[in-house]
Amino acid sequence: MTDRTAKHRRDRTHDAHRREAKPWRRWYKRAAWLRLRALQLSEVPLCERHAAAGDVVLATVVNHRVPHRGDWALFTDRANHESLCESCHNAVAQAEEARGYSVAVDATGWPIDPRHPAN
């Protein structure tokens, strides 16, 4: 077996495990989500996190402000959608989700997220 074949098998096994562990991942391919995503990006075309800092960066990802974890109502709730650029989504938003709170601070240096341990 070649290294390429072995990697392909590992990748397929990993993908199958992810589908079993989080069956809602398929929702991202549904027509309902694709319409909601397109609507969000057309209404808010710039990355909301960059815009808050005064920067203009095109948004390419729709993030869920509150992780839905398989809750369809939360998944489709327009108020829970946030337009982000890929780098904000992949670095900042996913780190916040894993950590459980944001590390962003206000002008005084105090954490702005009420879930932050310092609050």
Side-chain angles (χ1 to χ4, degrees), residues 10-116:
R10 280 193 313 273
D11 289 349
R12 286 178 53 111
T13 301
H14 175 74
D15 290 346
H17 174 71
R18 286 178 59 178
R19 282 191 300 274
E20 289 174 16
K22 297 178 181 177
W24 60 81
R25 294 183 64 80
R26 291 176 294 191
W27 294 354
Y28 289 96
K29 294 183 180 182
R30 286 187 170 185
W33 170 253
L34 296 175
R35 280 192 303 272
L36 287 169
R37 179 186 181 281
L39 183 61
Q40 174 69 24
L41 292 175
S42 70
E43 290 179 353
V44 186
L46 300 179
C47 175
E48 294 182 46
R49 299 200 183 192
H50 276 97
D55 299 328
V56 177
V57 176
L58 189 64
T60 56
V61 178
V62 176
N63 183 52
H64 291 91
R65 297 176 196 273
V66 176
H68 61 84
R69 305 211 194 286
D71 179 343
W72 179 256
L74 197 53
F75 183 79
T76 58
D77 181 3
R78 300 263 338 270
N80 193 35
H81 298 162
E82 172 184 36
S83 296
L84 297 179
C85 65
E86 188 174 356
S87 65
C88 282
H89 177 263
N90 293 348
V92 180
Q94 289 187 346
E96 287 174 3
E97 183 177 338
R99 189 183 309 109
Y101 57 88
S102 170
V103 294
V105 295
D106 62 17
T108 67
W110 196 255
I112 60 174
D113 190 338
R115 299 170 298 173
H116 192 284

